[in-house]
Amino acid sequence: MAVAERALGQRIKRKEDPRFIQGAGRYLDDIVLPRMLYMGIVRSPYAHARIRSIRKEAALAVPGVVAVITGEDLDKAGLAWMPTLAGDRQMVLAVGKVLFQGQEVAAVVAETREAAFDGVHALAQEVEYEPLPVVVDPFKALEPGAPLVREDREQKTNHIWHWEVGDRDRTERAFAEAEVVVRQQVYFPRVHPAPLEPCGCIADYHKPTGRLTLYVTSQAPHAHRTLLALVSGLPEHKIRVISPDVGGGFGNKVPVYPGYVCAVVASLQLGRPVKWVETRTENLQSTSFARDYHMTCEIAADRDGRVKALRVKTVADHGAFDAAADPSKFPAGLFSIVTGSYDFPTAFAEVDGVYTNKAPGGVAYRCSFRVTEASYLIERTMDVLADELGMDPVELRMKNFIPPEKFPYRSALGWTYDSGNYAATLKKAMDLIGYWDLRREQEERRRRGELMGIGVSTFTEIVGAGPGHTFDIAGIKMFDSCEIRVHPTGKVLVRTGVRHQGQGHETTFAQIVADELGIPVDDVLVEEGDTDTAPYGLGTYASRSTPTAGGATAMAARRIRDKARKIAAHLLEAAEEDVVWDNGRFHVAGAPGRAVTFQEVALAAYTNPPPGVEPGLETVYYYDPPNLTFPNGAYICVVDIDKGTGEVKVRRFVAVDDCGTVINPLVVEGQVHGGLTEGFGIAFMQEIVYDENGNNLSSDFSSYLIPTAMETPVWETDRTVTPSPHHPIGAKGVGESPNVGSPAAFVNAVVDALSHLGVRHIDMPITPWKVWKILREHGIE
């Protein structure tokens, strides 16, 4: 009897891809329900203004328009405000005044999409505003006399909160005694996840049953169900949330947006399904942004490059509402991973959140709660320190890495890193790219007046939120779940509490189950996204699917296997403790010929269960991880700069990732390619820009650029493996690592190319115009 091949580590093509590449995916806008209405939203043209009046008559006169909803209407129903995940509250539709350009002012519901559009246009002309002073700079927002953004709060200030971590006194002493101190101000611009599919929903309230079904582009269907129950007052068991195929999320589809609430209200009022799908401009103007962190970093070190202390101060611009999707106890997310891969004896970090007249948010754009900002900051500042000391950036990093023998490692800011071998990962990246040959080439090119740079980034991530004792969102503990149903024929249905948006769950979770039960991957079907069928979970973001739901899946499969062993013992007429599992079959110890397959056991679970054992072969496992996981990597980028135009060309980019046990190398490589491309866009192209009046100047893809195949470099990838010791299969997650680690590599490469001119830092995005101006300022023609 053949032993099944292990499924983990196999390069299996994604099971979900055939339907996508054939155009057979079922996305939100593919869904059309009988008697469905369409909704559009009137948005503010002003960043800060009082609403004097809203006259509905013109919109209601548009043929096909059936309803107009304003903030005053919602206020009468007690629905004018909704809670945010960050513990703030946010207007559903503006009441009294608008706080940012693009804010939702009113909703128009009509028989057709076109009529809804016409109704929105008609109503927009009938809203009377009184413009108010605008503040878009968070530092000016903190000055006395600054325009007050949030008049609804008891605190009459734009300061939201102060958060700090670490040992301030010990860090101050270390800086006072240090031989060398470097200081660098770094701005990580406001960027946007810009998923291919914008946000939208269909609210379908069925009056006879009192049940609401919400089809929604959601990364966290169960969390949306609970929050919707809290906002609407509907009993949670009468709400079903279905997240169909999702065309990318990257954190943008975690929050609850006003459009969702308005569609639900309209469906409740009208007793008909109501669809709302935003436009690209609405997505860029009003849904959650990412980053917008103004950071100052200082490192204290001795003259031979040994780091002694880290000190960080940050101002976080949250826009008009603090709608960040951070765990409740961490207003600045997991920014305290800012010590990175280095063995700092002490550190101190503080962050202040600020309101401005900009769109709200602060989502984890392919980043585990502000980890990208932290990683970028420390990797940039380590290069500044290397420049100050006259050391090669690689030499400085090697000198200060946390050594492998120190794991599990307790960082100066309180995290316990699980595993890693940072020096080995960097060494592998250096060998792949030929680091020292490149340095020699750079010297030769500089002598010829050419500009070539080599950038290094050695990042450590922190992902997998929970564990539940530390992490919650809106009070809900951050565990995750898996249900496994084994059918009599041995085929398997798996349901999890997360929701993929391109990560390959239907393949990788099937591989985990197949590996644990010794069955073919094709025998496993993975379902997600329906709260009526899937077990409760917190969703997919922050690279948490594999660390949490992946753990739940492995543990559920092992629970199935434990029961299967009892049934096998019954079939083999042996004591349970004498039955041995051999990857796909059970046999009696010492008698491998006396064996039954998993499929035979599955059939017996329904036809011949042991006396006293419950029939069937099903289970649910809720996995609360004991710790986070800490993926890491070493990225090296080589750039050439055109002195005439300032254009930066990425010649090579090597990415070596350590994401622990690899479930499917093909999926991991795809994740890394996607994240590196996003990091490339952030480094060189992307920023949500506002003028002094709060006008969003980056509201479409002609002004907010997305890399195409023409600009995207060729990525060279490899990996090292240090399994996470506490995860059931040793996996750490990889979905966000390349977005976290790559911006610093790109920027470090450009700065390295210009470092001999005295350049130490350039804020992203590094556009040709920005580089051209720097070159001219330094006399380079």
Side-chain angles (χ1 to χ4, degrees), residues 50 102 129 139 143 156-157 160 197 217 239 252 343 439 476 530 534 555 557 607-608 612 675 698 745:
R50 296 206 184 282
Y129 299 96
F139 295 96
E143 293 176 355
K156 300 306 176 189
T157 170
I160 310 173
E197 177 198 34
T217 51
I239 302 173
N252 188 238
D343 191 11
R439 282 295 180 203
I476 303 169
D530 186 338
M555 297 305 290
T607 61
N608 182 26
S698 316

Side-chain angles (χ1 to χ4, degrees), residues 153-193:
R153 296 172 77 228
E154 182 178 345
Q155 308 94 319
K156 300 306 176 189
T157 170
N158 293 320
H159 184 261
I160 310 173
W161 43 258
H162 175 83
W163 178 80
E164 60 182 49
V165 62
D167 189 330
R168 182 194 292 264
D169 293 340
R170 186 184 172 196
T171 302
E172 296 293 333
R173 290 195 297 275
F175 270 89
E177 297 167 358
E179 296 173 347
V180 178
V181 172
V182 294
R183 183 175 190 269
Q184 184 62 53
Q185 290 185 310
V186 173
Y187 175 51
F188 203 129
R190 175 175 285 226
V191 293
H192 197 283

Side-chain angles (χ1 to χ4, degrees), residues 1-2 568 571 581 584-586 595-603:
M1 191 176 296
L571 297 177
W581 169 251
R585 65 175 195 159
F586 294 96
V596 291
T597 65
F598 180 79
Q599 289 78 9
E600 291 170 325
V601 170
L603 182 62

Side-chain angles (χ1 to χ4, degrees), residues 20 25 84 217 220 250 366 421 439 470 535 551 583 635 663 675 727 730:
F20 292 139
T84 71
T217 51
F250 314 116
R366 205 160 182 165
N421 188 336
R439 282 295 180 203
T470 304
N583 193 33
Y635 294 172
I663 299 169
H727 189 272

